[in-house]
Amino acid sequence: MAAAEGVWSLCNLLRFLNSLFFPGLIVCGTLCVCLVIVLWGIRLLLQRKKKLVSTRKTGKNQMVIAFFHPYCNAGGGGERVLWCALRALQKKYPEAVYVVYTGDVNVSGQQILEGAFRRFNIRLIHPVQFVFLRKRYLVEDSLYPHFTLLGQSLGSVFLGWEALMQCVPDVYIDSMGYAFTLPLFKYIGGCQVGSYVHYPTISTDMLSIVKNQNVGLNNTAFITRNPFLSKVKLIYYYLFAFIYGLVGSCSDVVMVNSSWTLNHILSLWKVGNCTNIVYPPCDVQTFLDIPLHEKKTTPGHLLVSVGQFRPEKNHPLQIRAFAKLLNKKMVESSPSLKLVLIGGCRNKDDELRVNQLRRLSEDLGVQEYVEFKINIPFDELKNYLSEATIGLHTMWNEHFGIGVVECMAAGTIILAHNSGGPKLDIVVPHEGDITGFLAESEEGYAETMAHILSMSAEKRLQIRKSARASHGAFCTPHMNILFSHEYSQAPYANKRRKKNKSLSCLWNVKNRLSGLINF
């Protein structure tokens, strides 16, 4: 009897749900139509606002080109790309209005421009307007201890909305990797959109780490020890990668900074017809006057590291490997050694990270041999590179590695991580000669440093010459491609052309961008 009543109740429930299906479908469809109408109305209002603002001062409709770069006052390679891109576009399109969306509300626009000149020796030829965003905290990783990728991506949408409400451009370029803003500016703002990808928000390597239950920067130990949590995180990553591919495919022009980034973006965004490799602006020209022979003002050897103090740069590995080098006395009769870590701090989290690195040096007993140089001027950076024997780089899967290129151009012998851009594009043999070294573990770095220091001065000079010769294309000041001469395909154009003809020629990129701007 009870069983029959249970079956009867289940049948009634199914009938009830079935009776709600079509009304619910109609309600959902109506809400979707209303949402589309509202968004279309917002788009029309924004277009009208843009026309009014653009013609208010000059009486004519001026092209507005905007860069979304919330941390434009930082001192990393991404910021160098931003300022070089702005300077080059100003040369080609001097009549356009240039806008930078930034969250650096604690400084003025003039201070930002002075910082760009001090750090990168770059000065813009025309004024640029800064739109200061108050909600940059929405993209801070510290705000999302869990589901960080999703939280920052959704936060970037709200930050992008704030930017769009203040200024509606004709051309929108995401130069910092916030791909979730692309559909917002394209479909709501009515803009032509482009993106310069330094590092994909999620990569197939990250998926492999979670799938294989390996500990990593984005995969903590307590998750790897739990098969269920690993499966849940893997599903989350796959769903996020799918959505990331959808928003990225909205871009009309996609530029990536290395072969490593290219492979991941093609896999995720699947927009090979409009994707091109554009190597970052490496200002190696200023380093060419540094003599290649070892000129030391102080006895001993100087080891330098150039890179922002971000967690993925893995500065602790450098300090631990250096301590192992000193403690094991791996260099016989070695002169005094000193490690100098040079980089920029974007915020308080980066400053806290530097303090943690100082404590690590003290714990390892090497604090007397380790120095930190934060946000130093360009001339001081050049002096350190001119004195250094070895340049250290320890980031796993570095997208490109501007600091690696600069170290090699300055004459330091580079020791980079055996992955990413340094492995695929930069620290590669030149005419059969080695141009630098690669390592992965503490032991590997320590042993390789000892090997470099034990070489004769003549052998080190030969490596320096090969390294500088291998990056001759970076030193060509008259190439008129894409944004400016600082962008180059380096010695790897033929390799790219064999893989995908549509990705090989930077003239095609310039034509695409010109067409996008002249739309």
Side-chain angles (χ1 to χ4, degrees):
M1 188 67 177
E5 290 179 355
V7 173
W8 179 256
S9 299
L10 180 61
C11 291
N12 288 335
L13 178 62
L14 292 176
R15 291 193 190 97
F16 176 71
L17 294 176
N18 184 60
S19 66
L20 293 178
F21 177 75
F22 287 104
L25 190 63
I26 294 173
V27 171
C28 290
T30 303
L31 291 176
C32 290
V33 171
C34 292
L35 179 62
V36 171
I37 293 174
V38 170
L39 293 178
W40 186 257
I42 294 174
R43 176 187 171 115
L44 293 178
L45 289 174
L46 290 175
Q47 293 299 310
R48 182 176 299 177
K49 175 184 176 181
K50 179 176 68 174
K51 290 181 180 179
L52 290 175
V53 172
S54 62
T55 58
R56 184 175 300 165
K57 293 184 178 180
T58 62
K60 61 180 181 179
N61 189 12
Q62 286 185 290
M63 174 72 65
V64 178
I65 303 173
F67 285 81
F68 190 77
H69 209 103
Y71 294 91
C72 73
N73 198 39
E79 288 66 56
R80 183 189 291 275
V81 170
L82 169 67
W83 301 121
C84 285
L86 277 167
R87 183 176 62 181
L89 282 175
Q90 286 182 344
K91 291 178 181 178
K92 187 170 181 61
Y93 305 99
E95 71 284 353
V97 176
Y98 294 92
V99 173
V100 176
Y101 299 114
T102 177
D104 296 301
V105 296
N106 57 331
V107 293
S108 66
Q110 185 59 37
Q111 288 174 318
I112 293 175
L113 295 175
E114 290 173 356
F117 177 72
R118 185 178 67 255
R119 293 166 181 155
F120 307 120
N121 199 30
I122 297 172
R123 193 181 295 279
L124 300 182
I125 56 179
H126 296 293
V128 61
Q129 298 177 12
F130 291 93
V131 174
F132 291 94
L133 308 176
R134 301 287 175 179
K135 295 182 175 59
R136 191 178 69 178
Y137 65 89
L138 293 176
V139 296
E140 295 280 356
D141 55 358
S142 58
L143 188 63
Y144 311 100
H146 306 291
F147 298 99
T148 307
L149 295 180
L150 180 61
Q152 288 183 292
S153 298
L154 294 178
S156 70
V157 176
F158 289 99
L159 188 64
W161 179 263
E162 180 189 2
L164 188 59
M165 290 300 102
Q166 295 192 54
C167 177
V168 184
D170 296 286
V171 177
Y172 170 81
I173 301 173
D174 167 37
S175 56
M176 206 172 175
Y178 293 106
F180 280 67
T181 63
L182 295 173
L184 177 67
F185 277 82
K186 182 170 185 176
Y187 298 116
I188 306 299
C191 312
Q192 296 293 296
V193 298
S195 56
Y196 188 92
V197 184
H198 300 273
Y199 197 88
T201 304
I202 190 169
S203 66
T204 53
D205 290 337
M206 293 169 63
L207 294 172
S208 299
I209 287 178
V210 177
K211 185 176 182 179
N212 298 328
Q213 295 184 240
N214 296 327
V215 178
L217 181 64
N218 297 301
N219 199 35
T220 55
F222 84 91
I223 291 180
T224 61
R225 290 193 296 264
N226 190 313
F228 175 75
L229 292 179
S230 294
K231 294 293 183 183
V232 171
K233 185 168 185 176
L234 186 61
I235 294 172
Y236 159 58
Y237 267 23
Y238 273 116
L239 289 174
F240 183 85
F242 174 74
I243 299 173
Y244 180 64
L246 288 180
V247 298
S249 64
C250 296
S251 188
D252 298 303
V253 172
V254 181
M255 292 160 279
V256 297
N257 64 347
S258 69
S259 302
W260 182 88
T261 308
L262 171 71
N263 295 332
H264 288 284
I265 290 299
L266 290 181
S267 175
L268 294 166
W269 291 11
K270 304 185 187 305
V271 286
N273 61 320
C274 63
T275 305
N276 298 263
I277 295 180
V278 181
Y279 289 103
C282 303
D283 192 13
V284 298
Q285 191 71 33
T286 60
F287 297 108
L288 295 183
D289 58 342
I290 298 176
L292 288 178
H293 64 272
E294 297 185 4
K295 182 183 69 173
K296 306 295 181 183
T297 59
T298 58
H301 291 285
L302 181 67
L303 293 75
V304 299
S305 166
V306 180
Q308 285 185 313
F309 289 102
R310 305 202 308 263
E312 61 269 23
K313 295 298 183 180
N314 201 2
H315 290 95
L317 175 57
Q318 299 176 9
I319 297 175
R320 291 192 182 98
F322 181 68
K324 186 166 290 189
L325 173 68
L326 294 178
N327 293 337
K328 289 188 174 183
K329 298 181 179 179
M330 302 179 71
V331 184
E332 295 182 2
S333 303
S334 64
S336 61
L337 302 176
K338 177 166 286 188
L339 172 64
V340 178
L341 286 80
I342 305 171
C345 285
R346 303 164 298 172
N347 47 40
K348 292 182 178 180
D349 289 338
D350 288 351
E351 293 172 2
L352 176 61
R353 199 166 291 114
V354 172
N355 292 332
Q356 292 173 342
L357 292 172
R358 294 184 195 275
R359 286 196 294 271
L360 176 61
S361 301
E362 294 173 358
D363 294 340
L364 296 175
V366 296
Q367 67 273 17
E368 296 181 5
Y369 307 97
V370 179
E371 291 185 9
F372 295 86
K373 299 296 179 179
I374 303 171
N375 297 330
I376 62 175
F378 181 80
D379 289 339
E380 189 175 350
L381 167 65
K382 183 178 177 181
N383 290 335
Y384 274 110
L385 291 180
S386 67
E387 292 289 329
T389 302
I390 298 176
L392 284 180
H393 164 274
T394 50
M395 178 178 172
W396 173 71
N397 273 344
E398 171 77 81
H399 31 89
F400 180 70
I402 293 178
V404 176
V405 175
E406 290 178 342
C407 285
M408 296 171 72
T412 65
I413 298 180
I414 194 67
L415 173 54
H417 197 279
N418 189 26
S419 63
K423 178 182 179 180
L424 296 176
D425 292 328
I426 303 175
V427 190
V428 294
H430 176 68
E431 297 181 353
D433 297 326
I434 64 173
T435 57
F437 298 88
L438 300 170
E440 296 182 29
S441 63
E442 292 179 24
E443 192 69 32
Y445 273 94
E447 290 179 356
T448 307
M449 285 188 285
H451 173 65
I452 295 172
L453 296 175
S454 65
M455 289 179 175
S456 64
E458 292 76 14
K459 179 62 176 178
R460 287 197 291 264
L461 178 60
Q462 181 181 351
I463 296 175
R464 290 188 178 96
K465 289 180 178 179
S466 298
R468 182 172 284 184
S470 70
H471 295 86
F474 285 113
C475 308
T476 306
H478 58 273
M479 297 181 69
N480 181 26
I481 50 181
L482 189 61
F483 291 144
S484 68
H485 67 264
E486 290 101 338
Y487 287 85
S488 171
Q489 276 195 309
Y492 323 111
N494 291 333
K495 181 170 62 175
R496 297 281 75 75
R497 191 173 293 114
K498 291 178 182 178
K499 287 187 176 182
N500 190 331
K501 291 183 179 180
S502 67
L503 308 181
S504 62
C505 185
L506 289 180
W507 284 101
N508 289 340
V509 183
K510 191 193 79 169
N511 292 336
R512 291 181 190 277
L513 190 60
S514 298
L516 184 148
I517 293 176
N518 295 326
F519 181 80

